[in-house]
Amino acid sequence: MAVVPASVDSIRRAAEILRRGGLVAFPTETVYGLGADALAPAACARIFEVKRRPRFDPLIVHVGDVAALDAVCDFRDARAQRLAAAFWPGPLTLVVPKTAALHDIVTSGLPTVAVRVPEHPVARALLAESRTPIAAPSANPFGYISPTLAIHVERQLGSAVELVLDGGACTLGVESTIVDVSGEHATLLRPGALATERIEALIGELRRPEHSATPRAPGQLPSHYAPRTPLFVVEPGGFDVRAGERAGLLAFAEPDGALAARCAVVEVLSRARDPNEAAVNLFAALHRLDGALLDVIYAERVPSAGLGAAIHDRLERAAAARKS
Ligand code: TXA
Ligand code: MG
């Protein structure tokens, strides 16, 4: 794999790789994506292999603008149109009916497809240069922490990706919010980098899917985003480090000094108590903690306003790996 700074030349090279069926990792404003030509089934199949992702977990298709959606979906729904006009380009993914032209491998056989127009200039340039929709899940092995830096992709996916475009740190740090508008009731499938309140202000209250044993979006699987080190979600200050335990603390704001002193590593997400800043730092902090040879990670609960809900969702799923 080659990690190269994003530039006009490297983006052109990346687009060529996509056009001949290869894989390219690239930055978006949320997290790094592992991209393939969404209209090339064999290339999309490789995404599943490289990520060790089960075939039942469908991919998000990225396009440069709404006009480019015709090849992959039916985008006539009024709610989809309103949300797109308000929030695209940006961290919102919409689930809408797919076209027959889009191969079933992309959608895991579902009659719907998840689509989004990203805002990151490198993602936009890559879409423009490759002139094809790009299927791209987060560029991490299935179930593991999402990448917000090119180095995360390099470490996790090894030589399986031909090129990683390095565009620096992702500016939002958690994945897009996913809303399903394919049915009568608009449903929130994943809280994410666009605050749910802003969506509801436009199209009314979103349904929350009931948790079932067979989730509709496998992003709803209880265990996800998980470090290898056991992680527990705790109330701020409401836990104790056991004797002999090498503990890491993921604190929302400045932690209690005595408690922090008993932890081997402390990561503070936002000294200013800003949920947006905390979201930006979340996955990189988890990567560092997971690399610190700890026995346990204690992650403090974050306030749920704004992006706090998305952070909370990721921490609960990271913790669920230990329960299931
Ligand atoms: O911010 C993001 O959305 C990033 C960047 C790279 O764009 N991508 C991302 O992709 O997070 P991924 O694959 O890690 O998460 C996509 C989620 C999965 O949980 C998948 O199950 C769900 O979207 N999904 C995809 N197609 C779907 C569909 N037709 N119906 C319901 N859920 C779907
Ligand atoms: Mg993912």
Side-chain angles (χ1 to χ4, degrees), residues 48 51-60 95 105-110 112 114 137-138 140 142-144 175 178 180 188-191 209-226 313-314 317-318 320:
F48 288 90
K51 275 187 62 102
R52 280 170 272 122
R53 179 180 179 114
R55 285 285 180 98
F56 62 73
D57 193 357
L59 308 176
I60 294 180
V95 173
I105 191 159
V106 176
T107 63
S108 301
L110 292 175
T112 56
S138 51
N140 51 284
F142 182 70
Y144 193 60
E175 294 86 348
I178 306 181
D180 184 344
L188 177 69
L189 294 183
R190 177 174 74 183
E210 321 83 63
H211 282 281
S212 66
T214 50
R216 272 212 308 165
Q220 297 166 231
L221 289 171
S223 163
H224 227 87
Y225 312 106
D313 171 79
R314 306 304 186 269
R317 289 175 207 274

Side-chain angles (χ1 to χ4, degrees), residues 164-217:
V164 182
L165 290 174
D166 187 347
C170 298
T171 47
L172 297 176
V174 289
E175 294 86 348
S176 61
T177 304
I178 306 181
V179 177
D180 184 344
V181 287
S182 67
E184 186 188 343
H185 299 284
T187 304
L188 177 69
L189 294 183
R190 177 174 74 183
L194 179 65
T196 310
E197 299 90 310
R198 296 187 60 197
I199 298 167
E200 293 187 319
L202 218 61
I203 61 162
E205 200 182 336
L206 298 175
R207 285 219 171 160
R208 278 34 178 194
E210 321 83 63
H211 282 281
S212 66
T214 50
R216 272 212 308 165

Side-chain angles (χ1 to χ4, degrees), residues 28 35 46 51 56 62 91 156 163 168 203 224-225 235 245 260 302 311:
T28 80
R46 268 203 71 210
K51 275 187 62 102
F56 62 73
H62 299 68
Q156 294 178 25
L163 192 72
I203 61 162
H224 227 87
Y225 312 106
E235 296 303 328
E245 183 175 70
V302 300
I311 299 172

Side-chain angles (χ1 to χ4, degrees), residues 191-192 195 252 274-276 278-279 302-315:
F252 173 58
D274 170 3
N276 293 3
V302 300
S304 66
L307 292 202
I311 299 172
H312 185 69
D313 171 79
R314 306 304 186 269
L315 291 178

Side-chain angles (χ1 to χ4, degrees), residues 92-314:
L92 171 68
T93 295
L94 294 170
V95 173
V96 291
K98 82 180 219 23
T99 57
L102 187 67
H103 197 280
D104 275 341
I105 191 159
V106 176
T107 63
S108 301
L110 292 175
T112 56
V113 59
V115 291
R116 123 172 157 89
V117 177
E119 187 170 30
H120 196 290
V122 174
R124 299 188 64 71
L126 183 62
L127 283 160
E129 193 67 38
S130 59
R131 295 186 302 277
T132 186
I134 300 177
S138 51
N140 51 284
F142 182 70
Y144 193 60
I145 309 165
S146 300
T148 54
L149 292 170
I151 182 114
H152 296 154
V153 182
E154 187 183 21
R155 281 200 211 118
Q156 294 178 25
L157 296 182
S159 56
V161 183
E162 273 143 88
L163 192 72
V164 182
L165 290 174
D166 187 347
C170 298
T171 47
L172 297 176
V174 289
E175 294 86 348
S176 61
T177 304
I178 306 181
V179 177
D180 184 344
V181 287
S182 67
E184 186 188 343
H185 299 284
T187 304
L188 177 69
L189 294 183
R190 177 174 74 183
L194 179 65
T196 310
E197 299 90 310
R198 296 187 60 197
I199 298 167
E200 293 187 319
L202 218 61
I203 61 162
E205 200 182 336
L206 298 175
R207 285 219 171 160
R208 278 34 178 194
E210 321 83 63
H211 282 281
S212 66
T214 50
R216 272 212 308 165
Q220 297 166 231
L221 289 171
S223 163
H224 227 87
Y225 312 106
R228 301 201 167 84
T229 315
L231 179 145
F232 297 91
V233 180
V234 295
E235 296 303 328
F239 69 99
D240 220 341
V241 176
R242 278 176 286 182
E245 183 175 70
R246 196 175 142 76
L249 173 60
L250 182 66
F252 173 58
E254 195 65 48
D256 171 78
L259 192 55
R262 291 202 292 285
C263 295
V265 185
V266 178
E267 292 280 350
V268 180
L269 291 179
S270 173
R271 292 201 154 73
R273 312 188 73 85
D274 170 3
N276 293 3
E277 184 186 25
V280 171
N281 293 328
L282 176 69
F283 287 134
L286 278 173
H287 278 284
R288 286 192 295 270
L289 287 166
D290 205 24
L293 303 172
L294 301 166
D295 299 316
V296 60
I297 298 169
Y298 294 109
E300 287 182 354
R301 197 177 290 284
V302 300
S304 66
L307 292 202
I311 299 172
H312 185 69
D313 171 79
R314 306 304 186 269

